[in-house]
């Protein structure tokens, strides 16, 4: 045994024999995953990018959808147990038989897209420059279960305001990145991508694009990144706007104002009735990732439920967004296989002290409050956290996905908010 193990030729034969099954398994795996989306590696160069999902991936999705094993009908007549069975079947039938991903590809590819490596990770972003002189650069950051899809409808109103009710002085250069682990950005292979790290990456991106004066905007986890930018205050960032202010008092008041009571009640409802997804993704993102990565129906309903709960609607998500718009976002998660990697944003920030209170920020800050937000922060709470609050407005329609739901109103708010910053 000793002689055989130390003989170079015998050892090499053993290594080859052991390697053969692995090589065979790898070949089989490669054959089985030909439908996977392939994204070229990023470098520090800003490299043009186009979305192109293989036909085999689309066929695989439809096959999976048609082979769905359904659970029984819910025992209630509303959404209190989750997405009703009849709503799910209608959504999945449309996705399998009528939805056209190629239409979305054509739409997003009409805008300049790029990838560049920042802090070891390939970052995808849309970058549309305005034709108007002195346009103000703005970086727009999405959250979960959103994506760059949320902002497609605001690109034209922001970059070309003269065609959308504004003036040349209202113009923006628009940068819309995919967060790490989302969409066509790379998936982190190690821990550490908190909102602070992402904010630093955005600062690098804006500098790499040549912008020496810019503003930031975000909602959901994009709001978290934008608050982090407010703390960091990188060179060039002059102001920021959020549609979900992360501001809370150290202790809820004993005698709240009507606005404070409404916010406190909304937080309590969220914690008691809607916090399950948050806890799962903050503690076991890998486990939920297995379920969603293997089941397009699971992935769809995991997101569709939030479009119902968090939009300004009359009971159905289709009151706020079209089925195609929702499936554009859902399909982006499916084709990029980002269920687990996107869920880790909760895990990363929960482990690193992330919460719903972002603390005091000295950077000039602004906010627009939409009526169907998860909770509506009172202005007094923002004033206590933001000594340089320069714009605050409460509008009459829209929800958590502000730019997605109300693109024209969102664009108007950006113009009003940053008018004094130009």
């Amino acid at each position: 045994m000793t002689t055989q193990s130390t003989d170079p030729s015998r050892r090499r034969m053993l290594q080859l024999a052991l390697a053969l099954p692995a090589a065979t398994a790898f070949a089989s795996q490669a054959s089985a995953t030909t439908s996977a989306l392939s994204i070229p590696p990023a470098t520090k160069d800003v490299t043009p990018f186009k979305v192109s999902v293989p036909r085999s991936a689309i066929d695989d999705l439809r096959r999976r959808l048609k082979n769905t094993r359904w659970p029984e009908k819910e025992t209630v007549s509303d959404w209190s147990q989750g997405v009703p069975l009849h709503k799910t079947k209608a959504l999945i039938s449309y996705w399998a038989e009528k939805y056209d991903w190629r239409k979305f590809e054509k739409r997003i590819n009409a805008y300049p897209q790029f990838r560049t490596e920042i802090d070891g990770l390939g970052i995808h972003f849309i970058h549309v420059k305005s034709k108007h002189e002195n346009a103000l650069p703005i970086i727009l950051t999405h959250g979960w279960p959103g994506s760059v899809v949320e902002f497609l409808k605001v690109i034209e109103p922001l970059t070309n305001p003269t065609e959308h009710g504004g003036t040349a002085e209202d113009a923006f250069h628009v940068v819309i990145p995919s967060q790490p682990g989302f969409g066509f950005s790379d998936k982190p292979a190690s821990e550490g991508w908190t909102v602070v790290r992402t904010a630093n990456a955005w600062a690098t991106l804006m500098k790499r694009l040549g912008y020496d004066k810019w503003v930031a905007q975000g909602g959901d986890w994009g709001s978290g990144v934008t608050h982090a930018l407010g703390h960091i205050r990188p060179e060039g960032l002059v102001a920021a706007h959020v549609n979900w202010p992360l501001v809370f008092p150290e202790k809820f008041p004993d005698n709240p104002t009507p606005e404070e009571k409404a916010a406190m009640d909304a937080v309590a409802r969220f914690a008691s009735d809607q916090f399950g997804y948050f806890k799962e993704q903050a503690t076991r993102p890998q486990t939920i990732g297995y379920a969603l990565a293997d089941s397009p129906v699971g992935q769809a309903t995991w997101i569709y439920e939030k479009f119902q709960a968090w939009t300004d609607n009359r009971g159905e998500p289709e009151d706020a967004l079209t089925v195609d718009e929702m499936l554009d976002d859902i399909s982006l998660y499916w084709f990029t296989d980002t269920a687990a990697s996107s869920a880790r944003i909760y895990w990363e920030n929960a482990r690193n002290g992330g919460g719903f209170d972002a603390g005091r920020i000295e950077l000039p800050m602004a906010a627009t409050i939409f009526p169907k937000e998860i909770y509506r922060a009172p202005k007094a709470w923002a004033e206590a956290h933001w000594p340089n609050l320069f714009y605050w407005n409460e509008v009459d329609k829209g929800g958590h996905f502000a730019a997605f739901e109300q693109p024209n109103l969102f664009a108007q708010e950006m113009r009003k908010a940053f008018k004094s910053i130009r």
Side-chain angles (χ1 to χ4, degrees):
M1 184 69 71
T2 304
T3 304
Q4 290 179 353
S5 64
T6 55
D7 181 77
S9 61
R10 294 295 296 270
R11 189 166 64 248
R12 177 59 178 160
M13 289 176 65
L14 179 61
Q15 290 171 341
L16 287 171
L18 291 172
L20 281 174
T24 303
F26 180 81
S28 300
Q29 181 183 18
S31 175
T33 58
T34 53
S35 62
L37 178 67
S38 177
I39 300 176
T43 69
K44 286 186 169 60
D45 294 332
V46 176
T47 306
F49 175 81
K50 293 284 188 183
V51 177
S52 181
V53 168
R55 178 72 212 184
S56 56
I58 298 173
D59 292 341
D60 175 67
L61 168 62
R62 288 176 173 159
R63 177 186 59 79
R64 289 170 181 261
L65 293 174
K66 291 176 180 178
N67 290 333
T68 298
R69 185 175 71 166
W70 300 102
E72 69 280 4
K73 183 182 181 299
E74 63 282 356
T75 58
V76 294
S77 59
D78 55 22
W79 288 67
S80 61
Q81 291 184 358
V83 184
L85 183 61
H86 76 279
K87 292 292 295 184
T88 303
K89 285 189 171 182
L91 178 71
I92 298 311
S93 175
Y94 186 92
W95 199 10
E97 298 171 10
K98 296 181 180 179
Y99 174 73
D100 185 357
W101 169 259
R102 295 301 188 207
K103 182 178 178 181
F104 171 73
E105 277 190 355
K106 183 177 180 180
R107 181 181 172 211
I108 194 171
N109 285 336
Y111 298 111
Q113 298 173 83
F114 306 89
R115 275 174 45 89
T116 189
E117 183 268 308
I118 301 174
D119 193 8
L121 208 67
I123 298 297
H124 162 262
F125 63 98
I126 298 169
H127 183 200
V128 183
K129 301 197 72 171
S130 174
K131 65 181 180 182
H132 296 292
E133 191 176 1
N134 300 321
L136 179 64
I138 186 171
I139 188 166
L140 305 173
T141 309
H142 68 81
W144 183 95
S147 64
V148 296
V149 174
E150 288 183 66
F151 295 113
L152 294 184
K153 290 187 287 186
V154 304
I155 292 175
E156 288 298 324
L158 292 176
T159 59
N160 192 14
T162 55
E163 298 297 321
H164 297 271
T167 67
E169 290 72 28
D170 295 322
F172 293 88
H173 298 310
V174 175
V175 179
I176 311 172
S178 294
Q179 287 223 48
F182 288 75
F184 303 106
S185 285
D186 287 356
K187 304 170 187 177
S190 58
E191 59 187 283
W193 276 94
T194 64
V195 292
V196 174
R197 189 170 178 181
T198 300
N200 278 308
W202 283 192
T204 299
L205 176 60
M206 295 303 276
K207 185 176 182 179
R208 190 168 293 177
L209 295 178
Y211 293 131
D212 55 14
K213 177 183 178 182
W214 50 280
V215 296
Q217 199 286 328
D220 194 84
W221 280 111
S223 180
V225 172
T226 303
H227 282 79
L229 281 166
H231 284 291
I232 297 167
R233 301 191 72 171
E235 181 182 359
L237 178 63
V238 294
H241 176 283
V242 294
N243 49 278
W244 198 25
L246 302 179
V247 291
F248 280 94
E250 289 187 11
K251 178 180 178 296
F252 281 144
D254 294 327
N255 298 298
T257 65
E259 292 79 10
E260 289 174 327
K261 186 177 187 308
M264 292 160 59
D265 289 346
V267 171
R269 286 194 301 272
F270 179 71
S272 65
D273 187 56
Q274 294 187 25
F275 203 64
Y277 84 95
F278 192 109
K279 193 67 174 176
E280 178 69 16
Q281 297 196 153
T283 58
R284 298 294 185 271
Q286 191 69 16
T287 302
I288 191 63
Y290 293 128
L292 304 184
D294 191 54
S295 170
V297 175
Q299 178 68 91
T301 52
W302 194 244
I303 294 175
Y304 185 56
E305 176 190 286
K306 303 312 174 191
F307 285 142
Q308 190 274 339
W310 298 345
T311 59
D312 187 359
N313 64 64
R314 299 180 299 279
E316 305 292 349
E318 292 82 4
D319 299 331
L321 298 166
T322 69
V323 176
D324 283 280
E325 287 172 338
M326 290 184 280
L327 285 174
D328 288 342
D329 185 64
I330 290 166
S331 298
L332 182 58
Y333 276 82
W334 175 258
F335 287 129
T336 56
D337 190 12
T338 47
S341 57
S342 64
R344 289 192 195 102
I345 194 171
Y346 291 81
W347 187 88
E348 289 285 2
N349 290 285
R351 287 167 57 87
N352 288 278
F356 288 101
D357 182 15
R360 182 181 176 87
I361 295 177
E362 301 285 341
L363 181 81
M365 293 290 293
T368 300
I369 308 301
F370 290 80
K372 297 300 181 179
E373 184 54 90
I374 292 174
Y375 65 83
R376 294 160 53 100
K379 185 178 182 181
W381 293 0
E383 289 174 328
H385 284 67
W386 303 342
N388 293 308
L389 173 64
F390 67 92
Y391 181 85
W392 183 274
N393 192 26
E394 299 182 17
V395 294
D396 61 0
K397 53 188 175 182
H400 190 64
F401 305 93
F404 207 9
E405 298 176 57
Q406 296 293 334
N408 291 328
L409 180 56
F410 179 89
Q412 291 169 15
E413 285 298 297
M414 295 306 100
R415 296 170 193 166
K416 293 177 183 176
F418 292 117
K419 191 175 186 66
S420 64
I421 299 299
R422 294 178 180 272

